[in-house]
Amino acid sequence: MVERRQEPQEIVVIDGTAVLFRAYYGAPDAEAPDGTPIGAVLGTSRTLVELMGRARTTHVIIVFDAGQRTFRNDIDAAYKANRVAPPPDLVPQFDLVQEMVQALGFRTLCVPGFEADDLMATVARRAAEQGWGTWLVSPDKDLFQLIDDGPPAIRAFHWHTRTVVDAAGVVERLGVAPPLAVDFFALVGDSSDNVQGVRGVGAKAASALVNAFGDLEAIYTNLDAVPLLEVRGAKSLRDKLEAQRETAELALRLVTLDHDVAIAVDEPLGAWSAWPGPVPTADAFFARLGVHAPLRAMQGIHDRRGSG
């Protein structure tokens, strides 16, 4: 995605929280003149400069988690209960990174009760309805359920590995097509989010079930045919599925992204997401950080586009 000229009518949606976390663990520590930790914020700015410098991206939205608790915790109190609290020196950078990207001129979305992935799903749906393709810049495999070759297309891009994921890429990774990725995840679970899934059902069995019958409801409608599948352990799969139906259905609710989040955007996404370059207050913001290099780099990218 970042090494080619952007096609017309595409919006790039960046998971700012994911970029911030990766920057925190990969960037050197740094402090603002007042002692506030800013290493992850600066690392995030470097990633954005790289992305914007490599692509001819003109429409960008950066989304953020609004906190650790979401509507999924109301569905299942154990959801992400395995996650530890963020490091103390990262906490003040959550708000600071949003200030930073806004100073650089980017539109942001952050809605209490929802994850960045839900916002990406909502933007992708709205964009498609308005005739715009979407690049989802994130390493999160949950986004595979949104992938669509279009037109308009919805594709994922992992900035760290420079990996593009289209519909064929989802099939290659999961063994199922994008619309059935949620059913695959409901069966195998997700240990990183503490989503259990069906114990004893691995990736090969899950893809065989989904490809043979379809979505989770169809799998349970056809339980008696499960032992006939040509997959290792097929005879015992039926009993595992039957005994853990509630677990599978709960997992499906947890892994399904909400594509209808109420976001405060009334105008068409194409117009709203257009990147105007750094805002007039950006100089004062970066003066607070004691670092102007990200601002100069992003302003240079914007100016070169204007002259090109």
Side-chain angles (χ1 to χ4, degrees):
M1 188 273 290
V2 295
E3 294 183 344
R4 66 168 183 81
R5 186 178 182 89
Q6 186 193 25
E7 296 298 328
Q9 295 279 94
E10 289 183 338
I11 297 173
V12 175
V13 190
I14 301 172
D15 186 337
T17 300
V19 175
L20 179 69
F21 268 94
R22 180 172 285 275
Y24 176 79
Y25 290 105
D29 294 336
E31 290 185 351
D34 64 0
T36 302
I38 59 171
V41 172
L42 296 181
T44 298
S45 73
R46 286 190 287 272
T47 297
L48 293 177
V49 166
E50 179 183 359
L51 285 169
M52 298 301 291
R54 287 181 173 273
R56 296 290 297 182
T57 301
T58 56
H59 295 77
V60 182
I61 301 171
I62 303 180
V63 299
F64 294 92
D65 292 339
Q68 291 183 293
R69 185 172 182 83
T70 71
F71 74 92
R72 293 180 177 85
N73 298 104
D74 296 327
I75 297 174
D76 181 11
Y79 180 72
K80 289 192 176 181
N82 55 331
R83 301 284 184 94
V84 298
D89 61 333
L90 178 58
V91 173
Q93 300 187 67
F94 288 131
D95 290 337
L96 200 59
V97 76
Q98 293 195 51
E99 288 186 64
M100 186 267 292
V101 298
Q102 289 165 1
L104 292 176
F106 298 109
R107 294 290 195 173
T108 63
L109 290 173
C110 182
V111 181
F114 296 92
E115 299 179 37
D117 288 353
D118 297 308
L119 302 180
M120 298 181 99
T122 298
V123 170
R125 177 190 62 81
R126 281 204 191 184
E129 291 173 351
Q130 296 170 18
W132 286 71
T134 310
W135 282 100
L136 306 173
V137 182
S138 170
D140 198 331
K141 64 181 183 301
D142 290 341
L143 297 174
F144 288 177
Q145 63 192 269
L146 306 176
I147 301 302
D148 189 335
D149 286 345
I154 301 172
R155 289 161 289 192
F157 177 76
H158 188 343
W159 74 93
H160 188 66
T161 60
R162 298 184 187 174
T163 303
V164 173
V165 181
D166 56 10
V170 174
V171 174
E172 180 182 352
R173 288 162 174 78
L174 304 184
V176 303
L180 294 170
V182 287
D183 306 283
F184 174 89
F185 291 137
L187 292 169
V188 300
D190 185 345
S191 59
S192 65
D193 288 343
N194 207 33
V195 176
Q196 184 171 310
V198 178
R199 291 187 304 275
V201 176
K204 289 185 178 180
S207 62
L209 287 163
V210 169
N211 286 319
F213 304 114
D215 61 20
L216 195 67
E217 182 179 358
I219 291 171
Y220 276 100
T221 299
N222 291 279
L223 275 184
D224 289 339
V226 169
L228 302 178
L229 290 179
E230 294 184 2
V231 63
R232 184 176 180 180
K235 292 183 178 180
S236 63
L237 272 180
R238 185 196 185 285
D239 293 340
K240 292 174 183 176
L241 289 165
E242 187 173 37
Q244 300 176 70
R245 180 166 187 167
E246 290 186 3
T247 302
E249 291 175 342
L250 173 61
L252 182 62
R253 295 175 66 194
L254 294 174
V255 301
T256 301
L257 297 181
D258 189 334
H259 62 262
D260 198 25
V261 180
I263 57 176
V265 182
D266 295 326
E267 61 185 301
L269 284 175
W272 185 77
S273 63
W275 181 54
V279 302
T281 57
D283 192 70
F285 172 81
F286 282 95
R288 282 170 46 203
L289 299 189
V291 180
H292 281 84
L295 173 58
R296 289 195 296 268
M298 202 66 81
Q299 187 66 60
I301 292 170
H302 183 265
D303 291 346
R304 287 192 296 274
R305 292 181 181 186
S307 62

